[in-house]
Amino acid sequence: MRTATRKTVVRTSMERASPAGAPVLRRAFTGVGCAAAVLVTVAACGTVENLTAGQKVDSAVERLGEQKSLAFGMRLDADPDDLVALMGEDSEEVPPEMAEFFTGLRVDVSVKSKKPLAESGEKDIAGMGMKISGDEGVLVEYRLVGDYTYYRADLETLGDTMGIPFPSADELPEDAKHLRPALEGKWVKINTADLQELGEDARAESGSGGSDELDAKTQKKILGAVRGVVAREVGFKTKDGKDGTEVITAKANFRELLTGIIDKLQPLKGDLPPGAELPTAKDMKEAPNKDVAVDFTLKNGDLTRIETDLAVLADDPKGAKAPLVLTFGKAGDISAPKGAAEIPVDEFADPIGSGMFGV
């Protein structure tokens, strides 16, 4: 391969995605907070008969916000064959390797703060991290510590699975040798402030300028808008689980709940971030008209697990199951990796951030 061609491959492969790092981590952390806020809304609403169960979930969510260290994990606990069966005719376009990849995928988000998380701002965060793992180990990992975003990726495994032609470190041209650590799966670091600036420039060029995060005032409006819908549509039941746990099940018709929420959000669509569009009436008609149940597992009053079977939304599940599992615990190591090589921000791009996280 000629040098010019090799360099093109490096730039094309490494720049398929828009700048990630801090925005990815911040959005992941925001997602945890939004999930908690939604749970509080669900728990705070309901009939008198359901109120006790809802209050238990409410209390457990509040206790998450009282922590200074939190880990949030998500995985699709499904068999590859079940996933292919649920895709129906579309499964012909999905190779078995890809189905196996997604069923073995796990996303872990960790955050540590100097204050309780519910009271923390960006200045209070001591460290944040996101790790995406597969059956063969860590695929991509980010850590936000101090002034830098740290990053590593197993590009060989990602390339084989996602069909992206990443070059090997030996193919790098002389003027791109500084990218070698990234291609070898070693830790590299990028100045976080520079990443944020580059992300803002990218949004401005794409015409989606402005923040893509919901401010506190808008979040409050949204939660208020859906409160009555949740109270009307969601029911709760409680049962004893294993090892002294308690399982609280929230159940609702998916189409009716979603339609009701979207109707309430229509007057607020002007307050949503750029690019955030509400589903149309046609989309609502195509939404599954089925009951969906979500299980919240509590132990000693703490929320430890949330699970729902996505297979029930399929037109014909054929007996397949696709449990989406979320777990909660204490954050692990989020320290700055030693020996990370610094990469100029204009030569860094996350190879999967844009495709998987929309960043």
Side-chain angles (χ1 to χ4, degrees):
M1 180 183 293
R2 293 177 299 175
T3 299
T5 304
R6 286 199 302 269
K7 187 171 182 179
T8 299
V9 172
V10 173
R11 301 295 296 181
T12 301
S13 299
M14 294 296 289
E15 294 179 357
R16 284 176 182 264
S18 58
V24 173
L25 296 176
R26 192 166 60 249
R27 190 169 298 136
F29 180 49
T30 301
V32 175
C34 288
V38 171
L39 297 184
V40 170
T41 302
V42 172
C45 304
T47 63
V48 174
E49 179 183 356
N50 292 326
L51 199 54
T52 300
Q55 285 178 331
K56 289 181 179 180
V57 177
D58 186 4
S59 177
V61 171
E62 287 186 352
R63 291 176 68 168
L64 289 179
E66 295 169 0
Q67 307 302 313
K68 295 182 179 180
S69 171
L70 177 65
F72 169 85
M74 180 174 64
R75 71 178 187 273
L76 186 61
D77 199 6
D79 182 271
D81 291 338
D82 279 358
L83 188 60
V84 171
L86 290 172
M87 291 179 180
E89 296 179 357
D90 294 335
S91 65
E92 296 179 2
E93 303 176 4
V94 180
E97 294 81 7
M98 183 64 76
E100 187 171 350
F101 171 77
F102 279 111
T103 54
L105 205 62
R106 178 182 174 89
V107 178
D108 292 285
V109 178
S110 299
V111 60
K112 291 183 178 180
S113 177
K114 302 171 186 176
K115 296 181 179 180
L117 294 174
E119 304 171 9
S120 296
E122 286 193 24
K123 295 184 296 183
D124 304 311
I125 303 301
M128 299 171 63
M130 174 185 282
K131 181 167 60 178
I132 305 168
S133 307
D135 291 335
E136 298 184 16
V138 177
L139 298 173
V140 178
E141 184 172 4
Y142 312 87
R143 292 183 192 176
L144 180 57
V145 186
D147 296 330
Y148 286 92
T149 295
Y150 297 84
Y151 166 89
R152 63 169 173 160
D154 183 350
L155 296 181
E156 182 177 355
T157 300
L158 282 171
D160 291 343
T161 305
M162 304 176 69
I164 300 175
F166 293 112
S168 70
D170 295 333
E171 294 178 308
L172 285 171
E174 286 299 323
D175 59 352
K177 291 295 185 182
H178 55 284
L179 295 177
R180 187 180 186 92
L183 292 180
E184 291 178 336
K186 297 178 180 178
W187 281 106
V188 297
K189 64 180 182 180
I190 307 92
N191 185 277
T192 300
D194 291 342
L195 267 179
Q196 292 174 335
E197 183 178 351
L198 192 60
E200 291 171 0
D201 291 343
R203 286 193 293 272
E205 290 179 4
S206 65
S208 59
S211 173
D212 56 359
E213 298 176 4
L214 291 173
D215 56 42
K217 185 177 180 180
T218 302
Q219 289 184 38
K220 187 175 181 180
K221 288 181 180 179
I222 291 175
L223 292 177
V226 303
R227 181 178 294 273
V229 180
V230 173
R232 184 177 67 250
E233 302 293 346
V234 178
F236 294 93
K237 288 186 178 180
T238 304
K239 66 179 179 181
D240 293 332
K242 299 179 180 178
D243 302 323
T245 62
E246 184 178 28
V247 180
I248 298 175
T249 301
K251 190 173 184 179
N253 180 278
F254 183 79
R255 182 188 294 177
E256 293 176 2
L257 179 62
L258 189 59
T259 300
I261 290 175
I262 297 305
D263 286 345
K264 290 293 184 181
L265 291 181
Q266 287 295 341
L268 301 176
K269 61 182 180 181
D271 297 328
L272 298 179
E277 297 181 0
L278 296 176
T280 64
K282 180 181 179 182
D283 294 331
M284 292 298 96
K285 291 180 180 179
E286 295 176 352
N289 186 23
K290 298 182 178 182
D291 287 342
V292 178
V294 180
D295 291 336
F296 302 91
T297 300
L298 280 61
K299 186 168 186 178
N300 299 323
D302 291 327
L303 180 63
T304 61
R305 179 185 176 102
I306 301 175
E307 180 176 342
T308 185
D309 186 5
L310 300 180
V312 300
L313 298 176
D315 292 334
D316 184 8
K318 300 181 176 68
K321 295 183 179 296
L324 179 65
V325 180
L326 294 80
T327 56
F328 300 87
K330 296 291 184 182
D333 178 36
I334 322 178
S335 60
K338 295 181 180 180
E342 186 167 358
I343 292 182
V345 68
D346 58 349
E347 297 195 29
F348 169 79
D350 165 27
I352 70 169
S354 176
M356 187 169 291
F357 298 102
V359 298

